[in-house]
Amino acid sequence: MAKYENEGYCPCIWVDLSSDSRLSGLWSLIGPSVVYEKEDAIKCTPDIATCDRIFGIDLIAYDVLSAIVKKNVNADKILVHQLHNGSCTTQQTSDIQKTLAEATNPQLIAHAGSNFIVIIADAPYGIDVWVWDLTICF
């Protein structure tokens, strides 16, 4: 059961972990704490399918899950943000640098062959996770 269903979409039982057997163990440690924010500053909801790929079947998934576990395996809430800029179907690469500059203790995660960039950072309630789909960035 997800802890924060009233705050946004909780992917706890929906993420496809079949691409890498190591993911199930890592996800079991953090999955119930993960929540996708309801909407960003311009009132866009996250692309659930994209976020699910980042945590499950994409090449970056192991790097993201292991980084979260190493940063704070006991994080009460892991809030996932997908910043949009201009419209709900685009993101900007400039927001990556801005987030790195403004976040508390940020860690940039990239993986060769992945179309995603992820930043994890400390937050008062646990961990913030920002995701970018480079195929929709300009």
Side-chain angles (χ1 to χ4, degrees):
M1 187 54 142
K3 295 179 187 180
Y4 296 99
E5 291 180 85
N6 61 331
E7 294 185 28
Y9 177 77
C10 293
C12 187
I13 62 171
W14 304 111
V15 173
D16 180 356
L17 304 171
S18 65
S19 65
D20 184 339
S21 61
R22 302 172 296 173
L23 299 179
S24 292
L26 293 171
W27 188 252
S28 70
L29 295 171
I30 66 163
S33 298
V34 176
V35 59
Y36 302 165
E37 76 177 338
K38 284 184 180 177
E39 56 187 32
D40 62 14
I42 63 168
K43 306 293 184 207
C44 296
T45 58
D47 178 346
I48 292 169
T50 292
C51 293
D52 284 356
R53 281 195 308 275
I54 290 168
F55 285 104
I57 61 173
D58 190 77
L59 296 171
I60 203 170
Y62 178 78
D63 297 338
V64 170
L65 293 178
S66 63
I68 291 170
V69 167
K70 289 174 188 173
K71 186 173 244 339
N72 184 356
V73 71
N74 296 314
D76 185 47
K77 179 170 38 172
I78 301 165
L79 184 58
V80 180
H81 311 272
Q82 186 181 29
L83 301 176
H84 294 89
N85 204 321
S87 81
C88 293
T89 59
T90 62
Q91 293 184 281
Q92 287 190 354
T93 53
S94 61
D95 286 336
I96 298 169
Q97 186 61 37
K98 182 179 176 182
T99 301
L100 283 168
E102 294 175 357
T104 303
N105 195 20
Q107 179 181 348
L108 178 71
I109 303 167
H111 189 94
S114 174
N115 288 326
F116 304 108
I117 294 291
V118 176
I119 295 174
I120 63 172
D122 295 334
Y125 44 77
I127 296 176
D128 276 323
V129 178
W130 288 273
V131 301
W132 285 267
D133 180 348
L134 297 175
T135 65
I136 63 167
C137 283
F138 62 94

